[in-house]
Amino acid sequence: MSRKDLSGDESMQCVDLLSRYAHLLLILARDPDATIRDISIILDLTERTVHRTLNQLGQEGYISIERVGRRNRYRVLVDMQSTSRFENNCKVGDVLGLVVGQGGFNTPIEG
């Protein structure tokens, strides 16, 4: 779904309050089996950008990537401390919890 589809108005500007990293973490928290293609469609990004972002999150320790057959399964590491000066060393789970509220995830998030 593109941004245009979400707003229904082509003239309306879309302002993202969260980064693509946060958006991607939210998607993975809800669906650890999401594919790069699924994510790219949801975020309206290229598959290459999604792949690069997943690798960055994995290298920084925000997610773990497990190969399951021919697919990857992603696990958000909610106990990881944010290194951003803006999140003031909050845990990833705390930040995601602010966005979706308590119990807002479709699947349990493992620490």
Side-chain angles (χ1 to χ4, degrees):
M1 179 177 298
S2 71
R3 294 172 191 260
K4 183 170 54 173
D5 295 336
L6 291 174
S7 69
D9 182 1
E10 289 183 47
S11 65
M12 190 172 170
Q13 290 283 358
C14 181
V15 175
D16 291 329
L17 296 178
L18 301 173
S19 70
R20 77 169 179 264
Y21 299 97
H23 289 152
L24 207 145
L25 289 171
L26 285 165
I27 291 168
L28 296 179
R30 291 182 177 126
D31 183 8
D33 295 314
T35 65
I36 289 176
R37 176 169 284 175
D38 296 337
I39 296 166
S40 71
I41 292 169
I42 293 167
L43 296 180
D44 197 22
L45 298 170
T46 66
E47 289 182 29
R48 183 168 178 78
T49 299
V50 171
H51 186 266
R52 186 175 59 244
T53 305
L54 284 168
N55 284 335
Q56 289 172 330
L57 288 170
Q59 289 171 355
E60 294 294 323
Y62 291 105
I63 64 172
S64 68
I65 304 170
E66 176 189 3
R67 190 77 173 164
V68 180
R70 294 175 45 184
R71 300 191 49 189
N72 288 332
R73 179 173 176 80
Y74 304 96
R75 185 168 54 109
V76 177
L77 303 175
V78 294
D79 289 330
M80 174 68 179
Q81 295 282 334
S82 170
T83 57
S84 169
R85 61 190 167 117
F86 296 109
E87 282 95 41
N88 197 20
N89 293 322
C90 292
K91 291 183 179 180
V92 171
D94 295 338
V95 174
L96 296 179
L98 287 173
V99 175
V100 296
Q102 296 296 330
F105 295 107
N106 293 333
T107 57
I109 301 175
E110 302 171 29

